[in-house]
Amino acid sequence: LIKQPVPKIFHLGMFEIGRPLGKGKFGRVYLARERETGFVCALKVLHKDEIQQGKIEKQVAREIEIQSNLRHPNILRLYGHFHDRKRIFLILEYAGKGELYKHLQKADRFPGWKAAQYIAQMASALRYLHHKHVIHRDIKPEDILVGLHGELKMSDFGWSVHAPSGRRLTKCGTLDYLPPEMVDPKRCEKPYDEKVDLWSLGVLMYEFLVGQAPFEDTPVMTQRRIAKGDMTIPSFVSSEAKDLIRKVSSS
Ligand SMILES: Clc1ccc(CN2CCN(c3c(Br)cnc4[nH]c(-c5ccc(CN6CCOCC6)cc5)nc34)CC2)cc1
């Protein structure tokens, strides 16, 4: 008989719950360890009533469906999920060095060699995602984690969709990373494709090298500046990096 992986049935009792790793709008994430195997993971606990009130059931279902099927070193694994009467539990890969934006805040900005390594890893994850016709749509330092060996892990697929997608993105969270076709009212109806993630990669590159997002401003001004591509790159950024930021963001 061919050895088929037996689908595991998960339940809360099989985990020892450790320290909280952080809290978000709809739940918390805890360090956890599977009792039997000692396997360490991150357990994301979401509250069903808050998900229903926030009308994000579809988003949570999409996050589970999409992230469960992804296998890439720079994409955080979702090993499984289960629920009880009140809560939904996502069993996620534990990233040993935490959230990237905290490292960026601490460093103010990254040196060219580190930014280049990080962008190469994100580009590799995007190439894999786009090959599977998945658009992430929300790439920002807050959604990127750092593994034990310093490697980046894209996480939080709550906003990802299968391409091409004409679905409008209800504006919430930061506009900084959205491309012109998603902020410009007259272009908003046209379906957009994977290119939205390439724009965000350019914004990420800028933020790694400069220490702040290129269009950071009041929401109205940010929308205008994105639509016009009104970005100035400081002189300390190398000409090669300037060239790459302009090329990726204009694709
Ligand atoms: Cl519903 C929801 C709840 C919380 C959050 C915010 N974070 C999302 C990411 N979370 C983590 C996930 Br998922 C997977 N692996 C992780 N690893 C860590 C982590 C790992 C280590 C640290 C400790 N710091 C590491 C860097 O040096 C200083 C100490 C802090 C956090 N957080 C997560 C932590 C919580 C988002 C959504």
Side-chain angles (χ1 to χ4, degrees):
L1 262 180
I2 301 165
K3 199 170 169 313
Q4 294 288 357
V6 178
K8 283 196 75 159
I9 307 296
F10 299 106
H11 58 84
L12 193 51
M14 67 198 289
F15 296 97
E16 284 169 300
I17 307 300
R19 71 180 182 89
L21 291 171
K23 61 180 183 317
K25 210 163 161 211
F26 298 99
R28 291 168 182 266
V29 175
Y30 297 89
L31 191 57
R33 180 170 48 202
E34 192 187 11
R35 290 185 200 283
E36 204 182 306
T37 60
F39 185 79
V40 172
C41 58
L43 201 62
K44 190 178 204 178
V45 184
L46 301 167
H47 297 277
K48 286 184 181 175
D49 50 2
E50 288 172 18
I51 287 175
Q52 275 142 19
Q53 271 152 21
K55 297 194 183 1
I56 57 158
E57 297 95 323
K58 277 204 187 63
Q59 226 169 289
V60 173
R62 214 183 294 143
E63 176 177 0
I64 294 173
E65 194 251 329
I66 288 180
Q67 203 168 350
S68 307
N69 297 304
L70 300 176
R71 302 280 186 282
H72 186 280
N74 301 116
I75 294 177
L76 198 77
R77 277 294 308 278
L78 171 58
Y79 299 110
H81 63 285
F82 56 96
H83 65 99
D84 64 14
R85 231 163 35 80
K86 291 230 171 256
R87 298 164 293 184
I88 297 171
F89 301 87
L90 306 188
I91 307 160
L92 290 157
E93 175 183 359
Y94 171 66
K97 288 205 169 126
E99 296 170 296
L100 179 66
Y101 83 93
K102 290 185 180 164
H103 295 261
L104 182 53
Q105 269 171 355
K106 201 158 142 246
D108 188 24
R109 54 192 165 91
F110 295 136
W113 61 270
K114 180 174 272 205
Q117 274 179 9
Y118 282 172
I119 290 299
Q121 291 171 27
M122 288 296 93
S124 165
L126 276 184
R127 188 174 46 209
Y128 169 81
L129 275 184
H130 293 172
H131 165 72
K132 294 181 77 103
H133 300 297
V134 172
I135 318 179
H136 188 285
R137 291 200 316 177
D138 195 13
I139 300 168
K140 51 187 189 294
E142 288 73 10
D143 292 332
I144 301 172
L145 296 168
V146 188
L148 217 45
H149 309 295
E151 74 283 17
L152 295 193
K153 303 257 179 195
M154 211 182 257
S155 78
D156 195 352
F157 283 77
W159 284 103
S160 53
V161 285
H162 280 104
S165 160
R167 227 183 316 290
R168 294 200 45 160
L169 183 74
T170 45
K171 290 190 180 54
C172 81
T174 171
L175 293 167
D176 282 323
Y177 285 77
L178 297 181
E181 63 268 30
M182 285 175 82
V183 296
D184 192 337
K186 34 188 196 307
R187 296 162 63 177
C188 222
E189 285 313 325
K190 257 177 49 196
Y192 47 81
D193 57 13
E194 290 89 343
K195 283 202 174 49
V196 300
D197 286 337
L198 288 186
W199 171 277
S200 306
L201 192 65
V203 176
L204 201 62
M205 208 183 303
Y206 182 102
E207 184 156 3
F208 284 170
L209 290 165
V210 178
Q212 61 179 54
F215 306 107
E216 216 157 283
D217 209 317
T218 62
V220 169
M221 277 315 291
T222 299
Q223 267 186 316
R224 275 205 209 126
R225 292 181 58 198
I226 291 173
K228 276 175 22 199
D230 157 21
M231 156 180 77
T232 50
I233 306 181
S235 54
F236 60 74
V237 176
S238 73
S239 50
E240 297 88 341
K242 270 197 183 99
D243 178 54
L244 184 55
I245 292 172
R246 290 197 197 291
K247 281 206 174 98
V248 166
S249 298
S250 64
S251 63

